[in-house]
Amino acid sequence: HVQLVESGGGSVQAGGSLRLSCLISGYTIGVSSWCEAWFRQVPGKEREAVAALDVDGDTAYADFVKGRSTISIDKAKHTLYLQMNSLKPEDTAMYYCAASFLRVTAIEALDAEADFGYWGRGTQVTVS
């Protein structure tokens, strides 16, 4: 079965950088339709999409990280990444990676959380 395991979170000062990783197992990244994404959630608030990457290699970013973050995938390592730079205190959240096997484009993914059926347990990012 599909499993996603995040890592790379931690505590960092404002202006710093982190690279989150998500090891994906249980399926081959080569199926006809897939989309991988990063979401984040602060206690008491709704989960929100951060960035997405689809089977065509297209990417999309939420406005609040645009220009500061890069989503990428290493298919050989079955790992999804989120490089985050110029971190701000408001970036503090639990970050989750998620996978969808529906025909979801990266742009659609930013508003299609319900289409993601597979989730990791999250990695905490704290910016002070």
Side-chain angles (χ1 to χ4, degrees):
H1 62 285
V2 178
Q3 286 188 308
L4 294 83
V5 180
E6 303 94 335
S7 62
S11 296
V12 63
Q13 291 188 337
S17 299
L18 282 174
R19 187 177 78 160
L20 307 183
S21 300
C22 176
L23 179 62
I24 307 162
S25 62
Y27 81 103
T28 301
I29 303 178
V31 298
S32 59
S33 295
W34 58 265
C35 183
E36 308 286 348
W38 288 95
F39 292 79
R40 71 184 189 184
Q41 187 171 26
V42 175
K45 295 187 177 181
E46 292 187 355
R47 189 160 51 192
E48 57 186 358
V50 178
L53 184 152
D54 64 31
V55 65
D56 295 323
D58 294 323
T59 59
Y61 299 90
D63 287 342
F64 55 78
V65 296
K66 200 170 291 183
R68 301 189 294 124
S69 295
T70 303
I71 188 171
S72 61
I73 195 165
D74 185 328
K75 293 182 181 180
K77 295 182 178 179
H78 301 278
T79 301
L80 180 75
Y81 299 101
L82 181 67
Q83 176 69 44
M84 300 190 295
N85 303 319
S86 302
L87 283 162
K88 306 174 182 179
E90 50 264 44
D91 293 319
T92 296
M94 183 72 77
Y95 284 72
Y96 301 90
C97 68
S100 172
F101 295 104
L102 303 177
R103 190 62 180 171
V104 180
T105 66
I107 294 177
E108 292 171 341
L110 298 184
D111 292 306
E113 180 179 334
D115 287 341
F116 287 82
Y118 301 93
W119 294 82
R121 292 188 176 184
T123 185
Q124 178 68 37
V125 171
T126 302
V127 185
S128 59

